[in-house]
């Protein structure tokens, strides 16, 4: 993108999202891995209507863009992202309760919503208390844990597509393991209706806390990461295979395979995206050689990576 094109884009986006447009913004500041170069343009809409206006304008202008939620399932390239990134979060974090149904805007924090809903005596989302994503990112990824996933509670999602606004019901969302239609078509999740069920808040919160305790005993909670790097293959666990392949503790630069949960790669300080990618390839090669299984990444790679 040339400077003059960037300048024109910035002015147009600034008109739609006043004070919310940053140029050459380091994305490491905006993702849980704390890794990644700059976005040419980062848009931080301050309301749901600003988000919708910016996305609609970008679709109309034919400008490709990436939507980022809380950045907890991505690896951003060291050279960053050319073009526009739109980040949801503050300003799209409204929640409305209507009986057993919850309308949550895309930027709502999943752990926050999980705890608040449980405390109100609404069960079904307590599995998500330890998943540090947004509602939009969790719908896109069909995030899940403890044998449950978003697909079980999403009734309907309002999306913005290049053809305008639409409502996709659960059956139209193509939910599969860590996958949804949102990953395969241009669409911004604006908000989601979750169908929960009435339950005793004390019991619901107790289950939530039990699951959180299990996580803290089995997963590394300190250094920055993007959670599980690989999808579980078939009925097996990527973490078990990585452990069996003797890859725990493998390191490239500042990136290391966690000793606690082998499917986590940790940024132990100053890791680059190239370090993480090299480590991913090392782990895949080990698992392929020792277990005969091909691992595929769950995290999304964003931006300009070297073809090698
Ligand atoms: C410590 C840790 C633990 C984790 N544990 C789990 C776990 O137990 N289970 C699990 O499933 N995941 C887990 N994750 C991964 C991650 O939290 C989830 O995938 C989460 O749902 C991602 O949400 P996000 O807002 O961070 O999305 P991002 O990482 O910002 O984006 C992920 C994808 O969703 C898309 N996206 C985001 N928002 C929108 C939107 N509004 N509209 C359209 N597309 C959008 C992005 O373009 C991208 O393709 C963990 C991550 C960490 C760091």
């Amino acid at each position: 993108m040339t400077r003059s094109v960037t300048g024109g884009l910035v002015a147009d986006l600034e008109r739609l999202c006043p004070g919310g447009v940053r140029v050459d913004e380091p994305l490491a500041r905006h993702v849980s891995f704390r890794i990644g170069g700059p976005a040419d343009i980062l848009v931080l809409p301050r309301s749901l209507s600003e988000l919708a206006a910016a996305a609609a304008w970008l679709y109309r202008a034919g400008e490709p863009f990436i939507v980022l939620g809380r950045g907890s399932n991505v690896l951003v390239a060291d050279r960053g992202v050319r073009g526009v990134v739109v980040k949801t979060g503050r300003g799209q974090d409204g929640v409305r309760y209507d009986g057993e149904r919850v309308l949550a805007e895309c930027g709502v924090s999943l752990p926050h919503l999980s705890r608040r809903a449980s405390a109100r005596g609404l069960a079904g989302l307590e599995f998500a208390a330890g998943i540090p994503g947004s509602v939009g990112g969790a719908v896109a990824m069909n995030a899940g844990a403890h044998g449950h996933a978003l697909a079980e509670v999403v009734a309907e999602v309002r999306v913005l597509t290049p053809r305008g606004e639409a409502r996709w019901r659960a059956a139209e969302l193509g939910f599969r393991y860590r996958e949804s239609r949102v990953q395969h078509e241009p669409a911004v999740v604006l908000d989601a209706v979750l169908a929960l069920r009435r339950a005793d808040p004390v019991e619901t919160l107790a289950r939530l806390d039990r699951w959180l305790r299990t996580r803290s005993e089995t997963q590394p909670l300190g250094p920055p990461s993007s959670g599980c790097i690989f999808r579980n293959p078939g009925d097996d666990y990527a973490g078990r295979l990585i452990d069996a392949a003797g890859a725990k503790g493998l390191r490239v630069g500042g990136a290391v395979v966690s000793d606690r949960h082998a499917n986590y790669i940790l940024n132990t300080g100053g890791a680059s995206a190239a370090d993480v990618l090299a480590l991913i390839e090392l782990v895949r090669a080990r698992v392929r050689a020792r277990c005969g299984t091909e691992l595929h990444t769950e995290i999304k790679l964003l931006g300009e990576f070297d073809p090698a």
Side-chain angles (χ1 to χ4, degrees), residues 32-33 51 66-74 88 106-107 110 127 130-145 178 182-183 187-190 215 219-221 225-228 264 298 300 302:
S32 62
F33 234 148
L51 168 66
I66 290 172
V67 190
L68 201 59
R70 288 163 69 94
S72 64
N73 200 50
V74 296
T88 71
C106 58
L110 208 53
F127 72 87
I131 304 178
S134 65
V135 164
V139 169
M141 294 303 303
N142 188 18
R178 300 298 172 265
V182 178
Q183 289 178 32
V188 180
V189 173
L190 296 176
R215 290 178 77 95
Q219 296 176 11
L221 298 176
S225 78
S226 253
C228 287
Y264 275 58
E298 176 177 316
K300 303 291 176 197
L302 303 185

Side-chain angles (χ1 to χ4, degrees), residues 51-115:
L51 168 66
W57 186 88
L58 288 162
Y59 281 137
R60 265 200 314 277
E63 278 299 336
F65 63 99
I66 290 172
V67 190
L68 201 59
R70 288 163 69 94
S72 64
N73 200 50
V74 296
L75 175 63
V76 177
D78 295 317
R79 279 191 276 146
V81 177
R82 301 293 66 82
V84 181
V85 175
V86 178
K87 186 170 178 6
T88 71
R90 209 172 297 157
Q92 299 87 46
D93 51 2
V95 180
R96 251 198 356 251
Y97 294 91
D98 179 11
E100 298 182 345
R101 289 167 92 79
V102 182
L103 174 70
E105 294 182 0
C106 58
V108 170
S109 142
L110 208 53
H112 179 78
L113 183 62
S114 167
R115 187 167 286 281

Side-chain angles (χ1 to χ4, degrees), residues 6 29-31 37 51 69 78 124 138 172 210 239 242 251 255 258 262 265 294:
T6 311
R29 293 180 188 157
H30 299 275
V31 299
L51 168 66
D78 295 317
E172 300 169 296
R210 200 165 57 245
I242 296 165
R251 169 183 287 275
S258 166
I265 288 180
E294 191 65 34

Side-chain angles (χ1 to χ4, degrees), residues 59-283:
Y59 281 137
R60 265 200 314 277
E63 278 299 336
F65 63 99
I66 290 172
V67 190
L68 201 59
R70 288 163 69 94
S72 64
N73 200 50
V74 296
L75 175 63
V76 177
D78 295 317
R79 279 191 276 146
V81 177
R82 301 293 66 82
V84 181
V85 175
V86 178
K87 186 170 178 6
T88 71
R90 209 172 297 157
Q92 299 87 46
D93 51 2
V95 180
R96 251 198 356 251
Y97 294 91
D98 179 11
E100 298 182 345
R101 289 167 92 79
V102 182
L103 174 70
E105 294 182 0
C106 58
V108 170
S109 142
L110 208 53
H112 179 78
L113 183 62
S114 167
R115 187 167 286 281
R116 291 294 290 272
S118 300
R120 289 176 79 104
L122 291 171
L125 203 57
E126 53 280 22
F127 72 87
I131 304 178
S134 65
V135 164
V139 169
M141 294 303 303
N142 188 18
H146 314 289
H148 299 278
L150 252 278
E152 293 167 30
V153 293
V154 173
E156 181 180 290
V157 166
R158 191 162 61 103
V159 290
L160 191 72
T161 77
R163 292 176 305 284
E165 210 178 283
R167 284 178 192 280
W168 291 350
R169 286 192 298 274
E172 300 169 296
L173 274 157
F175 280 131
R176 294 201 314 204
Y177 167 66
R178 300 298 172 265
E179 222 178 300
S180 79
R181 176 177 176 185
V182 178
Q183 289 178 32
H184 304 293
E185 291 178 39
V188 180
V189 173
L190 296 176
D191 49 36
V193 177
L194 309 181
L196 303 180
R197 57 180 193 282
R198 285 253 165 258
D200 177 4
V202 175
E203 273 174 29
T204 309
L205 280 171
R207 188 161 48 245
L208 181 154
D209 285 328
R210 200 165 57 245
W211 278 337
L212 272 186
R213 261 196 314 280
T214 307
R215 290 178 77 95
S216 68
E217 284 158 15
T218 54
Q219 296 176 11
L221 298 176
S225 78
S226 253
C228 287
I229 294 288
F230 298 102
R231 296 164 64 90
N232 288 325
D235 289 338
D236 212 334
Y237 291 98
R240 191 197 71 75
L241 292 168
I242 296 165
D243 194 4
K248 268 188 173 173
L250 273 186
R251 169 183 287 275
V252 175
V256 65
V257 177
S258 166
D259 271 332
R260 190 161 239 226
H261 189 315
N263 201 7
Y264 275 58
I265 288 180
L266 308 176
N267 174 4
T268 59
S272 64
D275 292 343
V276 175
L277 212 52
L279 190 53
I280 285 174
E281 289 312 323
L282 211 57
V283 169

